[in-house]
Amino acid sequence: MKKIIALAAAMLLTISLHAQTEEELKEEQAPKKAEIAKLQGEVDALQAKIDALPGWKKGVFGTIGGNISKFDQWFNQSNPNVSSGNFGINVNAYANLKREKDFWRNALSANLAWVKFDDKDIDTDSDDFEQSTDVFNISSLYGRNITEKLAYSALGEYRTTLLNNFNDPGYLDLGVGITWLPIKDLVVVVHPLNYNFVFADGDSNFESSLGAKILVDYTRKIGAINFKSNLSAFQSYETSDLSNWTWTNSFGYTLWKKIGVGFEFGLRNSPQETLFYTLNTLEQADATFDNIDTEIQSYWTLGLSYAF
């Protein structure tokens, strides 16, 4: 009995000593955490001053995703002999020049993807990777400061596809107006004088027109997070059927070194593209702007990201 009591007392003493040791370690840890937080605040403040300095600021981040698979005689599924896969890549890049009296902001974005579904039991289907997503946009904005937050500006923006039907259609916006810089990293462009050039091969329904250009861009890096949201809209003065808008959002979160998780989604509306698709792909010869519904186009990409 005495041995049991002695053993229990020893166990209680050990637990007590461990609890005291852990508590002491936490007390020792607390001021070090406070010191780290203070130093991080000083580092962030210095980085903010660096970002505010004149000169070039450049960056690139993107998303890569894909998978492949092959089944042979897998009779548990409806297509037992299939080779399939998909691959996609998304890139966002910028190069911005800031000076005392003016600025120059340049941006490029591309989203490309391929898919494959080859049923070995069907001789007529394709065994190649086919293009599924094809988005390319490049823009350049120059501004001459009026005040700290307002500037006279000129914008050139070009949008097309790269893998298929390059420049068919292609859109080139050239315009002048005002740029508003309400907060850091947010740019609002309002150009009431803008011409939207539309390029297309052959006899098509695409038309160029004069109108207003509105562009809103927010690009920022916060710690391990890269974020970009861009809305680009053209409003034709002739008719809304010649107008269009595109809204894209990209996120990248770094998990280890420069590798992380990336996600992008985009929305687009273009009555001219809807009519072209209805006439040429759906082969509805009697289609017009008046008897079709303009669909909202969309895409999204999820995969590994890499911050350059």
Side-chain angles (χ1 to χ4, degrees):
M1 187 66 180
K2 290 182 180 180
K3 290 182 179 181
I4 295 175
I5 294 174
L7 180 60
M11 292 178 61
L12 290 173
L13 179 61
T14 301
I15 294 172
S16 176
L17 289 174
H18 175 73
Q20 290 175 356
T21 302
E22 182 178 354
E23 189 175 327
E24 290 172 356
L25 289 173
K26 287 183 177 180
E27 289 179 358
E28 186 178 347
Q29 184 187 55
K32 295 185 182 299
K33 283 186 174 181
E35 186 177 349
I36 291 173
K38 179 182 177 182
L39 290 173
Q40 186 61 52
E42 294 176 359
V43 169
D44 293 342
L46 289 171
Q47 186 62 50
K49 291 181 180 179
I50 292 172
D51 293 340
L53 291 174
W56 284 98
K57 299 292 186 297
K58 304 173 184 178
V60 182
F61 69 97
T63 302
I64 298 176
N67 66 73
I68 56 174
S69 63
K70 185 175 181 179
F71 292 87
D72 290 313
Q73 311 300 332
W74 195 264
F75 298 116
N76 193 39
Q77 61 184 21
S78 58
N79 304 99
N81 302 292
V82 171
S83 176
S84 64
N86 65 74
F87 175 75
I89 181 171
N90 163 254
V91 177
N92 290 280
Y94 63 89
N96 300 331
L97 174 64
K98 179 180 179 181
R99 295 186 293 205
E100 182 179 354
K101 295 183 179 180
D102 61 357
F103 59 85
W104 186 22
R105 302 177 63 91
N106 303 278
L108 178 149
S109 65
N111 191 309
L112 309 174
W114 299 261
V115 297
K116 172 184 177 180
F117 188 87
D118 178 23
D119 190 335
K120 301 300 182 181
D121 296 325
I122 301 177
D123 296 332
T124 56
D125 70 348
S126 174
D127 60 355
D128 297 325
F129 278 87
E130 305 289 343
Q131 170 263 322
S132 61
T133 303
D134 193 354
V135 180
F136 177 79
N137 183 282
I138 186 170
S139 65
S140 184
L141 173 68
Y142 176 79
R144 190 77 176 176
N145 296 332
I146 305 171
T147 67
E148 183 181 354
K149 296 185 181 297
L150 283 178
Y152 299 116
S153 57
L155 171 70
E157 183 183 42
Y158 177 67
R159 182 176 61 258
T160 185
T161 56
L162 291 178
L163 304 176
N164 189 24
N165 299 328
F166 176 73
N167 204 41
D168 183 25
Y171 301 86
L172 175 63
D173 280 295
L174 295 175
V176 293
I178 296 292
T179 292
W180 180 38
L181 308 167
I183 60 174
K184 184 177 179 294
D185 302 315
L186 177 62
V187 179
V188 181
V189 178
V190 180
H191 285 179
L193 184 60
N194 183 93
Y195 201 82
N196 179 240
F197 296 91
V198 184
F199 309 101
D201 294 337
D203 184 18
S204 69
N205 57 285
F206 292 101
E207 295 182 32
S208 304
S209 64
L210 181 69
K213 181 74 174 182
I214 297 176
L215 186 147
V216 182
D217 184 272
Y218 186 72
T219 303
R220 189 174 181 185
K221 181 178 181 180
I222 308 174
I225 300 174
N226 284 291
F227 173 79
K228 179 179 178 67
S229 181
N230 181 280
L231 172 65
S232 178
F234 171 73
Q235 177 61 52
S236 174
Y237 291 145
E238 294 184 21
T239 170
S240 60
D241 293 330
L242 303 182
S243 303
N244 62 78
W245 58 263
T246 304
W247 183 35
T248 58
N249 296 272
S250 302
F251 308 87
Y253 183 74
T254 303
L255 297 172
W256 178 71
K257 293 186 176 180
K258 294 186 177 183
I259 300 174
V261 177
F263 176 71
E264 175 171 307
F265 73 90
L267 301 174
R268 175 164 170 76
N269 179 274
S270 173
Q272 293 191 84
E273 291 175 0
T274 302
L275 179 59
F276 181 80
Y277 177 80
T278 305
L279 288 170
N280 294 274
T281 303
L282 301 183
E283 298 182 348
Q284 297 181 14
D286 60 342
T288 65
F289 287 122
D290 296 327
N291 62 18
I292 64 170
D293 294 325
T294 301
E295 303 290 341
I296 300 295
Q297 306 169 43
S298 66
Y299 73 87
W300 61 269
T301 301
L302 175 66
L304 294 177
S305 65
Y306 187 84
F308 295 86

